Amino acid sequence: MRDHFELRDGDAAGRIGELSIPRAGVTVETPALMPVINPNIRTITPARLESEFGAEILITNAYIIHRNEELHAAARDVGLHDLLEFDGAIVTDSGSFQLSEYGDIEVTTEEILEFQREIGSDVGTPVDIPTPPDVSREQAERELAQTATALADAETVDTGEMLVNAPVQGSTYPDLREAAGHQADETDLDVFPIGAVVPLMNSYRYAEMIDVVAAAKRGLGRDAPVHLFGAGHPMMFALAVAAGCDLFDSAAYAIYARDDRYLTVRGTEHLEDLDYFPCSCPVCSARDPAGLRDCDGEKRERLLAAHNLHVSFAEIRRVKQAIRSGNLLELVESRARAHPAMLDGYRTLLDHVEQLEREDPVSKGSFFHLSTESARRPEVRRHHERLARLDAGDRVLLTEGSKPSVDAYDAVWRIVPPFGPFPRALSGTYPLTAETPERTDRAAYEAAAEGIAALAAANPDSSFVLTHDGWSKSALARVPDGVAVEARGGCRGNGDDSADADDAHESAE
Amino acid sequence: MRDHFELRDGDAAGRIGELSIPRAGVTVETPALMPVINPNIRTITPARLESEFGAEILITNAYIIHRNEELHAAARDVGLHDLLEFDGAIVTDSGSFQLSEYGDIEVTTEEILEFQREIGSDVGTPVDIPTPPDVSREQAERELAQTATALADAETVDTGEMLVNAPVQGSTYPDLREAAGHQADETDLDVFPIGAVVPLMNSYRYAEMIDVVAAAKRGLGRDAPVHLFGAGHPMMFALAVAAGCDLFDSAAYAIYARDDRYLTVRGTEHLEDLDYFPCSCPVCSARDPAGLRDCDGEKRERLLAAHNLHVSFAEIRRVKQAIRSGNLLELVESRARAHPAMLDGYRTLLDHVEQLEREDPVSKGSFFHLSTESARRPEVRRHHERLARLDAGDRVLLTEGSKPSVDAYDAVWRIVPPFGPFPRALSGTYPLTAETPERTDRAAYEAAAEGIAALAAANPDSSFVLTHDGWSKSALARVPDGVAVEARGGCRGNGDDSADADDAHESAE
């Protein structure tokens, strides 16, 4: 167990953690957003980030400081914290990004780590190779080997109390990302950035981003603090946290502000397209878009950056609160409707349901069935796995209705879509206390039928009767042949084709 | 055309309108939120509502003022605007709520309207009968007749420049609500509150609320400004606006604050359950929940009320911006994931797709396919109706792929789920420029197949070939028999059972 990172609470693969940063003498609560500070441009001063936005940690680029004579001297002279006027934790990047952009940089891992330590960085970074998406497997493997060398080099440097990043690369090859995660996890380095995902995010390839994160997480231990490097758009914080990311960094707040772009949890707007501010932050509740457009360039940029930070930090708080309340996946459901690519990302997250299920708490607040996707949540899978271990008795009625008065059965189990059957004694336990729509969808019925199949397979000698309320034909097709099926009263109870005609037309009654 | 209400912009059945309120000399832009002012308790002063939250209109209760000797005298003496210190428009309720709560009030429609005019109200209300949900049809009809009498009485009163509400009642009987809407529309009264829906909202019966609104709207003309009376939770503003509501009133902001309840667009939280504020408003970005809990009762109530107002007004702005951007239904998609009952509400809204389609603009920004529900949007229906009018030619290829090089067809049409086929010339027109997920869902394929069926029915002499990318069996079952079906290359292209196995496992590739 890494002693500098403690997990406090969890939901799906997301967690609230405490990252101790000894050199800064601070403990940062994760998920955390690290504003990126360009040492040359300070749209919002670090002091304001701390006092006004509650930033506990920020990130800046040691390579830029290293290369700039004046900054270099000042950083050596007064140290990074005084240079930036920031008391929290400071993470420094190494120039890897510049390497990937310009093909060459003039420092080694040893040099830049020593420089980072010297100027007072709290978390330093070696010179890894950020391999972009879609390169040949050969390139990805070759560069991953170079990154492995950088990590090995980093382990030999005397970094004192400074924590050190161990970036996880591997391009868009999940097996390479997983191997890289495993390799990084084996080092004695401390924080684990998943690198080179920015091109995926910039082109809305959230599904592939989630595959990359899931792969890296499989390689990393559960106790590894994971930084999704370059991820600063509040739209994807909930999704990325649910996949197991702990740290984000935002350069977007300032860069977007520079060209009048306005962040929201549902995407990016351009100031010129806004007639109203869709936001309650101090910037947006004190003026309207026309008023902001009238401000001079520098003031406008500062105000937009402040808005972008407000919305980003508020989303981090919202994600944390969702973890505490046990409804992070409900928040992801909502965020998945920001853009079709976010829906792809959520659907892909649910492809990794086994991985989620291993970390998802057994009991939470209340499960909300909010879409056809909800039927694929880890709680549903876990219930089906449990069904495969339950002893059902000889003659069992599975019913959406109440317990019949006749005593023709050994047991009468309830059925709740999307979970399927369960003994009545479990009715009060999570997730079977779920809130579901009146108009249950086909996917929920189908998942319930799969639960029946799991139970029937585990109890081959039992005889089951299912009485259902108008299940779709596609759901009834998933009920095993040995189960006797009866429709409960009501005209929709015959599982005819019409129930298949439209997902959302279906209703439990 | 009512000359005091002008429609400026629309999306689904939602609209941005300008409601001229001659007596106040102001024009209120709708959708608008009217904070409720209890004349006896002012958690947030009307002056602050105006300056800090941008409230253009508020609502108070003339009956309470009428009954209270001191308030009565003061209101007569200085007038309502000076009494409340508010320059915007003031709407007054009549005591109907008290009537419904206590069974009896001591004024008539004539008396209370004259009183409202006398004290300077800008929009007055007759004494209608707010019939609750689920009463007998007899009661609903009897009370609706009384409301009709109240409206007729109101028409006889000389109300000067004051506008007058014409409430629409009818309990949970859609045909009565429709008839009541029609009746109210026939009067010369001005604003149309849909009454007695609070019990539906309090018990999360959003589906029935939408049925009630849709019915009332069918009776009312398109130019009628509609007030969803008692609706003040920001969670449902987007849904209610999409159904055609223009005015909301919030007592919730103050009442909830009194017992530490905290509004969000995803539901209501209790202050004691919050570890983090999931909000960017000035109240929430300046302190944390522990800090607010430490405030004394009165200060805490004022701060919570301010938060509740910030989040409510921001949501109204967000809804307006969504109408301007043409993505109101995308916002509703997101809000529908707040609670299973909200999903029921959205699914019910889509039941009224014909009604939505009549008002939904033909061209907007970009259609986002965000869920299985998206396949039922008015744009899909409209495209299918258009397909039924298109002349396809003799031999037509319908394909998800590119145009083939061989010249075996008279025309090659593109297919985009959920819309279905269209001539390539329409590719650049809304909604066929839709952004859809890579992982298309079964509902989208099925809707596309229904589009093919519409086209084939309209062109019985044409021969169609469909080449598709792995459509689900359920979708292929909807393709008419006369259409030749070919799977395009790739392992998922055979429409086998597996494509039906899980909605969200499906993928276009």
Side-chain angles (χ1 to χ4, degrees):
Chain A
M1 191 72 181
R2 283 180 181 83
D3 57 5
H4 66 286
F5 189 53
E6 285 188 40
L7 299 179
R8 294 293 186 202
D9 212 337
D11 194 0
R15 58 270 189 97
I16 290 178
E18 288 185 359
L19 180 63
S20 302
I21 304 192
R23 199 174 188 196
V26 300
T27 297
V28 171
E29 191 177 70
T30 63
L33 175 63
M34 309 185 282
V36 176
I37 295 296
N38 181 327
N40 293 306
I41 312 166
R42 297 189 198 168
T43 316
I44 309 269
T45 64
R48 234 188 111 194
L49 288 173
E50 196 164 2
S51 64
E52 202 173 316
F53 299 94
E56 300 181 309
I57 183 168
L58 57 74
I59 182 166
T60 190
N61 193 316
Y63 182 69
I64 291 177
I65 296 169
H66 187 70
R67 297 263 296 165
N68 177 304
E69 215 166 296
E70 207 177 314
L71 286 170
H72 189 121
R76 285 202 166 189
D77 193 24
V78 301
L80 207 46
H81 286 80
D82 279 1
L83 182 70
L84 298 182
E85 299 177 277
F86 186 72
D87 293 329
I90 300 180
V91 179
T92 45
D93 196 1
S94 61
S96 297
F97 174 74
Q98 284 71 13
L99 179 64
S100 72
E101 287 286 293
Y102 312 116
D104 194 27
I105 58 169
E106 290 166 16
V107 288
T108 63
T109 285
E110 290 85 345
E111 284 163 359
I112 198 72
L113 276 177
E114 273 160 17
F115 178 69
Q116 290 173 87
R117 184 187 172 188
E118 200 177 349
I119 62 176
S121 170
D122 302 307
V123 185
T125 307
V127 182
D128 64 312
I129 315 294
T131 311
D134 313 319
V135 301
S136 71
R137 187 171 177 96
E138 291 62 39
Q139 182 184 343
E141 283 178 347
R142 187 177 65 243
E143 294 183 356
L144 193 51
Q146 289 176 269
T147 291
T149 304
L151 300 198
D153 291 348
E155 286 187 278
T156 67
V157 178
D158 176 12
T159 48
E161 269 198 312
M162 181 174 80
L163 299 181
V164 177
N165 276 321
V168 176
Q169 299 291 349
S171 184
T172 22
Y173 297 95
D175 62 320
L176 295 186
R177 289 279 186 179
E178 181 173 346
H182 191 69
Q183 241 169 30
D185 197 52
E186 297 274 285
T187 66
D188 59 7
L189 305 181
D190 309 291
V191 179
F192 302 88
I194 299 177
V197 289
V198 170
L200 293 179
M201 293 186 290
N202 285 349
S203 47
Y204 284 73
R205 292 164 65 180
Y206 293 113
E208 288 159 278
M209 182 195 81
I210 289 297
D211 279 334
V212 160
V213 170
K217 292 281 296 182
R218 283 194 298 277
L220 292 163
R222 191 173 175 184
D223 64 342
V226 173
H227 171 195
L228 192 61
F229 216 134
H233 200 302
M235 177 166 68
M236 38 66 66
F237 289 165
L239 179 67
V241 168
C245 299
D246 306 297
L247 292 162
F248 301 91
D249 62 283
S250 175
Y253 80 94
I255 294 172
Y256 281 39
R258 221 163 292 152
D259 40 74
D260 285 342
R261 282 180 293 166
Y262 176 100
L263 296 174
T264 84
V265 295
R266 301 179 58 244
T268 308
E269 302 281 352
H270 203 282
L271 178 59
E272 73 183 15
D273 298 328
L274 290 176
D275 295 304
Y276 312 90
F277 280 137
C279 176
S280 65
C281 86
V283 174
C284 298
S285 51
R287 56 184 64 69
D288 63 14
L292 186 55
R293 281 191 291 266
D294 284 345
C295 292
D296 72 63
E298 211 170 296
K299 185 177 180 193
R300 198 170 70 240
E301 181 181 334
R302 246 188 354 260
L303 287 168
L304 276 170
H307 157 80
N308 289 343
L309 282 170
H310 275 301
V311 72
S312 300
F313 277 103
E315 182 69 356
I316 292 287
R317 293 196 298 270
R318 197 174 284 120
V319 166
K320 285 186 188 180
Q321 183 58 47
I323 294 174
R324 287 264 195 255
S325 303
N327 56 23
L328 179 60
L329 288 178
E330 279 80 357
L331 180 60
V332 174
E333 284 273 3
S334 180
R335 294 294 175 259
R337 318 302 156 174
H339 191 279
M342 286 290 300
L343 179 58
D344 278 326
Y346 179 41
R347 288 175 173 174
T348 301
L349 180 70
L350 294 172
D351 288 347
H352 301 285
V353 62
E354 275 185 73
Q355 204 172 327
L356 294 182
E357 197 276 323
R358 281 196 292 276
E359 303 202 22
D360 193 47
V362 170
S363 185
K364 306 189 217 170
S366 185
F367 180 106
F368 280 3
H369 186 89
L370 297 173
S371 70
T372 53
E373 285 76 31
S374 296
R376 295 178 63 215
R377 280 179 51 166
E379 293 91 338
V380 177
R381 181 187 178 86
R382 181 181 293 146
H383 183 68
H384 289 181
E385 283 170 356
R386 179 157 69 167
L387 284 172
R389 295 189 307 268
L390 287 184
D391 188 5
D394 286 343
R395 292 163 309 158
V396 188
L397 175 65
L398 313 174
T399 177
E400 289 187 273
S402 54
K403 204 165 170 165
S405 49
V406 293
D407 208 18
Y409 300 98
D410 298 316
V412 179
W413 286 23
R414 282 186 63 202
I415 294 196
V416 171
F419 301 102
F422 51 87
R424 287 181 126 63
L426 292 178
S427 292
T429 64
Y430 186 87
L432 305 169
T433 49
E435 302 248 14
T436 58
E438 292 286 316
R439 309 164 58 118
T440 308
D441 46 72
R442 184 166 52 170
Y445 289 127
E446 289 167 4
E450 283 158 13
I452 295 173
L455 180 68
N459 293 271
D461 300 329
S462 303
S463 76
F464 293 98
V465 175
L466 161 67
T467 68
H468 68 91
D469 295 325
W471 283 20
S472 66
K473 199 176 165 186
S474 60
L476 293 173
R478 283 164 173 78
V479 176
D481 287 340
V483 175
V485 175
E486 294 172 7
R488 289 177 70 222
C491 56
R492 313 225 37 244
N494 55 355
D496 67 358
D497 268 333
S498 71
D500 253 13
D502 194 319
D503 216 1
H505 270 122
E506 291 185 26
S507 149
E509 291 300 322
Chain B
M1 192 72 181
R2 284 180 181 84
D3 57 6
H4 66 286
F5 189 53
E6 285 188 41
L7 298 179
R8 293 295 185 200
D9 211 337
D11 192 1
R15 57 270 188 98
I16 290 177
E18 288 185 359
L19 180 63
S20 303
I21 305 193
R23 200 175 186 194
V26 300
T27 297
V28 171
E29 192 177 69
T30 64
L33 175 63
M34 308 187 280
V36 175
I37 295 297
N38 180 327
N40 292 305
I41 312 166
R42 297 190 199 167
T43 316
I44 308 270
T45 63
R48 232 186 113 193
L49 288 173
E50 196 163 0
S51 64
E52 202 173 316
F53 299 93
E56 299 181 310
I57 182 168
L58 57 75
I59 181 167
T60 191
N61 193 314
Y63 183 67
I64 291 176
I65 297 169
H66 188 70
R67 298 264 296 165
N68 178 305
E69 216 167 291
E70 207 177 313
L71 286 171
H72 190 120
R76 284 203 169 191
D77 193 23
V78 302
L80 208 45
H81 286 80
D82 279 1
L83 182 69
L84 299 183
E85 298 175 277
F86 186 73
D87 293 330
I90 300 180
V91 180
T92 46
D93 197 2
S94 62
S96 297
F97 175 75
Q98 284 72 13
L99 178 66
S100 71
E101 287 285 294
Y102 313 116
D104 194 26
I105 57 168
E106 292 167 14
V107 288
T108 63
T109 285
E110 289 85 344
E111 284 163 359
I112 199 71
L113 275 177
E114 273 160 17
F115 179 69
Q116 291 172 88
R117 183 189 173 187
E118 201 176 347
I119 62 177
S121 171
D122 302 307
V123 184
T125 308
V127 182
D128 63 312
I129 314 293
T131 310
D134 313 319
V135 301
S136 70
R137 187 170 178 96
E138 291 64 37
Q139 183 184 341
E141 284 177 345
R142 188 177 64 243
E143 293 184 354
L144 192 53
Q146 290 176 269
T147 291
T149 305
L151 301 197
D153 291 347
E155 286 188 277
T156 67
V157 179
D158 176 11
T159 48
E161 271 198 313
M162 180 173 81
L163 299 182
V164 178
N165 277 320
V168 177
Q169 300 290 349
S171 185
T172 22
Y173 297 96
D175 62 320
L176 296 186
R177 288 280 186 178
E178 182 172 346
H182 191 69
Q183 241 169 30
D185 199 53
E186 298 274 284
T187 67
D188 60 8
L189 305 181
D190 311 290
V191 180
F192 302 89
I194 299 177
V197 289
V198 170
L200 293 179
M201 293 186 288
N202 286 349
S203 46
Y204 283 72
R205 292 165 65 181
Y206 293 113
E208 289 159 278
M209 182 195 82
I210 289 297
D211 279 334
V212 161
V213 169
K217 292 281 296 183
R218 283 194 298 277
L220 292 162
R222 191 173 175 184
D223 65 342
V226 173
H227 171 196
L228 192 61
F229 215 135
H233 201 302
M235 178 166 67
M236 36 68 66
F237 290 165
L239 179 66
V241 168
C245 298
D246 306 298
L247 292 162
F248 301 92
D249 62 283
S250 176
Y253 80 93
I255 293 171
Y256 281 39
R258 221 164 292 152
D259 40 76
D260 285 343
R261 281 181 293 166
Y262 176 100
L263 296 174
T264 84
V265 294
R266 301 178 58 242
T268 307
E269 302 281 351
H270 203 282
L271 179 59
E272 71 182 18
D273 299 328
L274 290 178
D275 295 303
Y276 312 89
F277 279 136
C279 175
S280 65
C281 86
V283 173
C284 298
S285 51
R287 57 183 65 71
D288 62 15
L292 186 55
R293 282 191 290 267
D294 284 345
C295 293
D296 73 61
E298 211 170 293
K299 185 177 178 192
R300 198 170 69 241
E301 181 181 333
R302 246 190 349 264
L303 287 167
L304 276 169
H307 157 79
N308 289 343
L309 283 170
H310 276 301
V311 71
S312 301
F313 278 104
E315 182 69 357
I316 292 287
R317 292 196 298 270
R318 197 175 284 120
V319 166
K320 285 187 189 178
Q321 183 58 46
I323 294 173
R324 286 265 194 254
S325 303
N327 57 22
L328 180 60
L329 288 178
E330 279 80 357
L331 180 60
V332 173
E333 284 272 3
S334 179
R335 294 295 175 257
R337 318 300 155 174
H339 191 280
M342 287 290 301
L343 179 57
D344 278 326
Y346 179 40
R347 288 175 174 174
T348 301
L349 180 71
L350 295 172
D351 288 346
H352 301 285
V353 61
E354 275 184 75
Q355 205 171 325
L356 295 182
E357 197 275 322
R358 280 196 292 276
E359 303 202 21
D360 193 48
V362 171
S363 186
K364 306 189 216 170
S366 183
F367 180 106
F368 280 4
H369 186 90
L370 297 173
S371 71
T372 52
E373 285 75 32
S374 297
R376 296 177 62 216
R377 281 179 50 168
E379 293 91 338
V380 177
R381 183 188 179 85
R382 181 181 296 144
H383 182 68
H384 290 182
E385 283 170 356
R386 179 159 66 169
L387 284 172
R389 295 189 307 268
L390 288 184
D391 187 5
D394 285 342
R395 293 163 309 155
V396 187
L397 174 66
L398 313 174
T399 179
E400 289 187 273
S402 54
K403 204 165 171 166
S405 49
V406 292
D407 209 17
Y409 300 99
D410 298 317
V412 179
W413 286 23
R414 280 187 65 201
I415 293 197
V416 171
F419 301 101
F422 52 87
R424 286 182 126 67
L426 292 178
S427 292
T429 63
Y430 186 88
L432 305 169
T433 49
E435 301 248 14
T436 59
E438 291 286 316
R439 307 164 59 117
T440 308
D441 47 70
R442 183 166 51 170
Y445 288 127
E446 290 166 5
E450 283 159 12
I452 295 173
L455 180 68
N459 293 273
D461 299 328
S462 303
S463 77
F464 292 99
V465 175
L466 162 68
T467 67
H468 67 90
D469 295 325
W471 283 22
S472 67
K473 198 175 165 187
S474 61
L476 293 174
R478 284 166 174 75
V479 176
D481 287 339
V483 174
V485 176
E486 293 170 9
R488 288 179 69 224
C491 56
R492 313 224 40 244
N494 55 354
D496 67 358
D497 268 331
S498 71
D500 253 13
D502 194 320
D503 217 359
H505 271 122
E506 290 185 24
S507 150
E509 291 298 324

